[in-house]
Amino acid sequence: MKKMTDAEKFSLIRREAIFTAFALVGLIIFWLVAGFGTSGSEIKIFHLPLWAIFGTFGVWFFAIFISWLLSHKIFTDMDLGGDDND
């Protein structure tokens, strides 16, 4: 792990928080499109309307994918501990 200054750590945390906020907005948009966008469809899966499947299970799967993407591509492992000058 690379030694980072506090300013670099705060910059990285800020970047990760911004990407997380964009992920939340993307998830909300997906929920709106998947749930309300498919409400006019007559397609049923296991006797449930398509909007119910996409608005619940689809959103969960999309949230899991976004979480995986954030944790593997955006987030960086760093030491958040104090000074090691014991």
Side-chain angles (χ1 to χ4, degrees):
M1 212 174 321
K2 178 186 149 200
K3 188 88 167 154
M4 300 173 75
T5 65
D6 285 344
E8 289 173 328
K9 289 179 185 178
F10 287 129
S11 175
L12 192 58
I13 291 168
R14 182 177 182 272
R15 182 185 76 110
E16 291 173 356
I18 289 170
F19 274 102
T20 304
F22 282 135
L24 174 63
V25 170
L27 186 63
I28 291 170
I29 291 170
F30 179 84
W31 173 70
L32 289 171
V33 171
F36 295 110
T38 59
S39 64
S41 174
E42 296 296 321
I43 298 172
K44 293 189 185 279
I45 300 173
F46 299 116
H47 304 289
L48 291 171
L50 191 61
W51 66 265
I53 300 293
F54 283 168
T56 54
F57 299 114
V59 173
W60 278 105
F61 288 125
F62 190 64
I64 290 169
F65 172 73
I66 287 176
S67 299
W68 178 87
L69 194 66
L70 286 173
S71 66
H72 285 84
K73 304 292 182 188
I74 304 298
F75 295 162
T76 304
D77 190 21
M78 71 176 118
D79 181 26
L80 296 176
D83 294 332
D84 293 330
N85 301 331
D86 294 325

